[in-house]
Amino acid sequence: MEGASWIGAALLAAAGVGGDDAPAAPERGLALLNHVALQGFGLDEEQFDALWTVWPEPLRSLAAADGTSAADRRAMALDRYGLAMDPERTRPDGSPSNVPAAFAEGAPGRWTLSCLACHSSAIDGRFVHGLGNNRFAFQTLVSDLARLKTQRGLGLTEQEKGMVFVPLGGSDGTTNAQTFSVLLSSFRDADLERTPGMRPMLGAIHHDLDAPPLWNVRRKQRLYLDGYVAKDPRVIMQFTLGIETDGATIRGWESDFEDVLAWIESLESPRWTGEIDQALAREGRVAFEAHCAECHGTYGDERTYPERRVPVDLLGTDPVRARGIPGSFREWMAKSWLTRGGAVDVDLDPAGYVAPPLDGVWASAPYLHNGSVPTLWHLLRPSERPAVWRHDRDARYDLERVGLTFETAAAPPEGVEAAARRRWFDASRRGKSAAGHDFPDRLDEEEKRAVLEYLKTL
């Protein structure tokens, strides 16, 4: 696997992040994510630019048409797979990078999926590190690459073979992320070494998740939707357990992930750039602190955050994520190198979801842990939430209702390619319910309007 040789001292110095004037740890963390192959899934730049050859019609013909440039096809690929470009990203020589934010360039022209595939995106053309990628079409990307490799007579890697058969995301913008960790860990012993067989995953349920904003990690003492494990650099390394990576290599990245966590904790939430009715927002703050702060905390100069875990039965949101992680995984985690052999606290039965901080909540649509609610307006009005909807990627962010601009349908379309169907969110499917979090029903309509205005200020 590519890595250390490509991002050694020479590369860091060339990138302006090394040498005698070593930068802050957060910069080294971002450099790692941009330049080191931490995963087993990747592709050559040439392969990425050839993916259009396996697209369905009429998209393939549009890409092949006279007058369609390589840059046009690259833009079409970025749209199909929901990928963003970081305008400030550079290559090791300091020149602008042409690599999508989703990939690390572990070697020249060799791209490997990065944590930023889910955790960096753009909002109204403004690139934001740590913003959940509500467009990422992971399943479509992997399916197209497998088709291209088969067409060219190229073999799939061991990890790619597994990814063909594991659900990666039932709708664009969501992924089966936590199950990836459960699955990959089942091939590892407590020291992260590969085992001859696979550990049973009894009780595991595939489920789609919306990537939460990373800038809120700095506010937390515990990680993940259920807060089952205390925050520690090793814990976030669970997502590097690629099938083809040996345990010693992974353990050797520990100091690098101290930098990655430092980078995550350095992130600031984006600020609302539109107009705000300040008088209405002040009214909203009063209502928010009376009805919402108990779980989500208070904001301003004397902020508080209780990091409260709410039982699923009380919260009423989709229970699959809370109940779909097998106890065997939590037990393995509690004894593994990732939690320092148990020194990092693991809750074996969290049984709920942690109410998140709401910094930058205006930018982090869609809402709820499974991404089932497209706007804050709908989050505040449980009975109005759409059942089947599709994010209109070509439209601007909805500044009125604060969230995604979308269209609705009675049901997802039939007779279309799977990639087109995955653009639709169907709340009737397992793990994707938009029900629950009914607490805003305590507010009257004027209070809801005021709270929405206040949330723009966070």
Side-chain angles (χ1 to χ4, degrees), residues 284-454:
R285 178 173 183 168
V286 172
F288 178 90
E289 292 185 350
H291 297 281
C292 313
E294 180 181 357
C295 292
H296 292 290
T298 58
Y299 301 82
D301 294 337
E302 298 181 5
R303 62 178 298 138
T304 63
Y305 176 56
E307 201 164 0
R308 180 181 177 186
R309 183 188 294 145
V310 184
V312 173
D313 291 343
L314 174 61
L315 188 57
T317 55
D318 196 293
V320 170
R321 164 63 178 83
R323 299 169 182 168
I325 304 300
S328 59
F329 168 73
R330 300 188 198 278
E331 292 169 1
W332 173 84
M333 180 66 83
K335 300 174 183 176
S336 79
W337 180 90
L338 295 173
T339 57
R340 306 177 190 274
V344 177
D345 182 65
V346 174
D347 188 334
L348 298 179
D349 186 22
Y353 298 121
V354 175
L358 299 183
D359 301 84
V361 66
W362 69 268
S364 58
Y367 301 99
L368 297 185
H369 71 274
N370 55 8
S372 58
V373 181
T375 76
L376 283 176
W377 188 94
H378 290 90
L379 186 68
L380 292 169
R381 296 166 177 81
S383 63
E384 300 293 327
R385 296 171 189 169
V388 179
W389 57 276
R390 180 175 68 173
H391 177 192
D392 183 351
R393 293 180 177 177
D394 295 326
R396 296 201 62 182
Y397 204 69
D398 188 337
L399 300 182
E400 186 71 25
R401 294 185 295 185
V402 188
L404 306 182
T405 300
F406 66 95
E407 60 180 302
T408 62
E414 299 291 344
V416 298
E417 66 149 340
R421 187 178 176 87
R422 282 191 291 270
R423 291 241 175 155
W424 289 87
F425 193 102
D426 183 355
S428 70
R429 294 181 59 191
R430 186 182 196 182
K432 301 177 81 68
S433 172
H437 195 272
D438 296 330
F439 310 118
D441 281 341
R442 301 171 183 171
L443 306 174
D444 62 33
E445 194 58 33
E446 283 303 306
E447 288 174 317
K448 290 178 182 179
R449 193 168 70 88
V451 167
L452 183 63
E453 197 72 7
Y454 173 62

Side-chain angles (χ1 to χ4, degrees), residues 5-39:
S5 62
W6 176 237
I7 194 164
L11 179 145
L12 287 171
V17 291
D20 294 335
D21 296 324
E27 296 182 47
R28 294 197 299 270
L30 179 57
L32 182 88
L33 296 177
N34 279 340
H35 297 294
V36 175
L38 300 171
Q39 278 291 340

Side-chain angles (χ1 to χ4, degrees), residues 110-261:
R110 176 62 183 173
W111 299 355
T112 308
L113 202 68
S114 158
C115 305
L116 303 185
C118 292
H119 292 291
S120 282
S121 188
I123 179 168
D124 265 354
R126 173 184 172 193
F127 182 80
V128 181
H129 271 310
L131 176 64
N133 187 353
N134 57 36
R135 301 182 178 204
F136 186 35
F138 193 15
Q139 186 76 63
T140 301
L141 174 62
V142 172
S143 298
D144 283 357
L145 179 60
R147 192 175 298 115
L148 178 71
K149 285 193 168 185
T150 300
Q151 186 182 85
R152 294 184 168 190
L154 302 174
L156 301 179
T157 66
E158 186 178 0
Q159 184 157 327
E160 288 167 350
K161 290 176 183 177
M163 293 172 80
V164 170
F165 297 102
V166 174
L168 305 177
S171 54
D172 290 358
T174 64
T175 66
N176 192 13
Q178 189 62 64
T179 304
F180 301 158
S181 179
V182 174
L183 177 63
L184 292 171
S185 72
S186 69
F187 293 96
R188 304 275 176 172
D189 64 17
D191 289 323
L192 311 186
E193 299 295 346
R194 282 291 302 270
T195 56
M198 179 181 177
R199 189 171 60 254
M201 301 191 307
L202 298 176
I205 302 174
H206 292 299
H207 54 277
D208 291 343
L209 300 175
D210 175 53
L214 289 184
W215 56 74
N216 280 331
V217 171
R218 66 193 298 186
R219 309 293 183 197
K220 297 183 173 186
Q221 299 302 311
R222 305 184 71 84
L223 296 175
Y224 307 116
L225 289 165
D226 52 11
Y228 85 95
V229 60
K231 183 166 59 178
D232 187 274
R234 286 193 185 185
V235 170
I236 61 178
M237 294 174 68
Q238 64 181 284
F239 296 103
T240 68
L241 303 180
I243 292 175
E244 297 167 23
T245 312
D246 62 81
T249 297
I250 297 171
R251 294 192 301 273
W253 285 329
E254 180 177 5
S255 63
D256 297 314
F257 270 81
E258 292 174 0
D259 294 334
V260 170
L261 183 56

Side-chain angles (χ1 to χ4, degrees), residues 68-79:
T68 302
S69 66
D72 293 334
R73 284 192 288 271
R74 174 67 70 88
M76 293 171 70
L78 294 176
D79 178 69

